Amino acid sequence: GNSVTQMEGPVTLSEEAFLTINCTYTATGYPSLFWYVQYPGEGLQLLLKATKADDKGSNKGFEATYRKETTSFHLEKGSVQVSDSAVYFCALTSDGGSYIPTFGRGTSLIVHP
Amino acid sequence: EPEVTQTPSHQVTQMGQEVILRCVPISNHLYFYWYRQILGQKVEFLVSFYNNEISEKSEIFDDQFSVERPDGSNFTLKIRSTKLEDSAMYFCASSDYGSSGANVLTFGAGSRLTVL
């Protein structure tokens, strides 16, 4: 079946620090990969996605590269801001079954001024 | 920007009581979902709904649960005879292209259910 494993949080950083949140996956079929973000009091929203191997998704300074050889989709940002404080969810859909997204447990990011 | 709205934001109930969680999906979306997240655990898929019927459900979605689209705009999750382990955040979501690998969901802010 499909599963997503994310690093445990919380991740606590100072403003302008480099961010990496690890995500690895297992999938039946060929997956599409996603990062969603949940800001306090809001629903999950799409941050970025990649639908085939070696694609890089990017948005708002965040990037993630679809690595088939390591089954990974790590989220990175070169310089975080306080406003990036949120919970980040890695997810996948797969053509090996339904296209219903499978999510990880989420990683909380706290950025201090 | 269109959004998914959920009510109530927080509900406290006694064990054994029935609970209805309500959602208004984005109006032109065709696929609707319920997920839940028990504190500290993964966001788990419960059920998907398309063309006025359940299209897929997980093992969690047993006879205790039911979904309905009563009036063309609301999408409800009913939990009969709640148990302590039903305490969780319940997320409603919708999408307009549920049969594609690039299926992107729009989520509501969630309804926190606390069963005492």
Side-chain angles (χ1 to χ4, degrees):
Chain A
N2 298 334
S3 70
V4 173
T5 302
Q6 290 181 237
M7 61 189 289
E8 295 256 348
V11 173
T12 305
L13 296 172
S14 298
E15 208 164 24
E16 299 184 4
F18 184 85
L19 168 71
T20 300
I21 300 178
N22 291 337
C23 171
T24 57
Y25 66 87
T26 58
T28 303
Y30 199 102
S32 295
L33 302 172
F34 306 79
W35 279 100
Y36 283 76
V37 60
Q38 184 184 28
Y39 298 105
E42 299 182 14
L44 284 74
Q45 57 187 273
L46 180 70
L47 179 60
L48 53 84
K49 67 181 181 184
T51 58
K52 61 182 190 294
D54 300 324
D55 272 2
K56 178 186 285 188
S58 62
N59 186 23
K60 299 181 182 180
F62 290 89
E63 294 182 340
T65 301
Y66 187 143
R67 300 284 188 203
K68 197 168 190 292
E69 64 276 15
T70 54
T71 61
S72 65
F73 192 55
H74 304 321
L75 182 68
E76 297 182 335
K77 187 174 185 183
S79 175
V80 294
Q81 306 300 311
V82 172
S83 57
D84 294 326
S85 298
V87 182
Y88 293 82
F89 294 87
C90 188
L92 69 84
T93 63
S94 171
D95 67 1
S98 74
Y99 294 111
I100 295 170
T102 298
F103 287 86
R105 68 175 59 217
T107 302
S108 175
L109 171 64
I110 301 168
V111 181
H112 294 294
Chain B
E1 187 170 331
E3 59 181 26
V4 174
T5 56
Q6 288 186 242
T7 54
S9 56
H10 188 194
Q11 180 153 359
V12 180
T13 191
Q14 296 293 322
M15 194 168 52
Q17 296 296 304
E18 178 181 283
V19 164
I20 297 176
L21 305 179
R22 292 182 168 79
C23 170
V24 179
I26 292 175
S27 60
N28 63 342
H29 283 182
L30 301 177
Y31 298 83
F32 313 118
Y33 311 83
W34 283 100
Y35 284 80
R36 77 172 185 191
Q37 186 178 31
I38 295 171
L39 190 63
Q41 299 185 24
K42 294 190 175 187
V43 176
E44 301 173 295
F45 167 71
L46 293 178
V47 65
S48 62
F49 195 85
Y50 171 70
N51 201 25
N52 282 321
E53 61 183 21
I54 291 174
S55 52
E56 192 162 337
K57 60 183 181 179
S58 72
E59 293 176 351
I60 302 168
F61 194 87
D62 59 20
D63 292 342
Q64 182 195 10
F65 295 90
S66 62
V67 290
E68 193 178 30
R69 190 156 161 81
D71 56 14
S73 61
N74 289 284
F75 180 51
T76 62
L77 174 69
K78 182 188 290 186
I79 310 174
R80 284 181 282 275
S81 190
T82 49
K83 302 182 283 232
L84 295 177
E85 54 264 37
D86 295 327
S87 295
M89 181 72 89
Y90 288 81
F91 293 106
C92 174
S94 66
S95 69
D96 59 357
Y97 203 28
S99 59
S100 158
N103 185 21
V104 175
L105 273 57
T106 302
F107 282 82
S111 294
R112 180 167 296 285
L113 176 65
T114 302
V115 182
L116 302 177

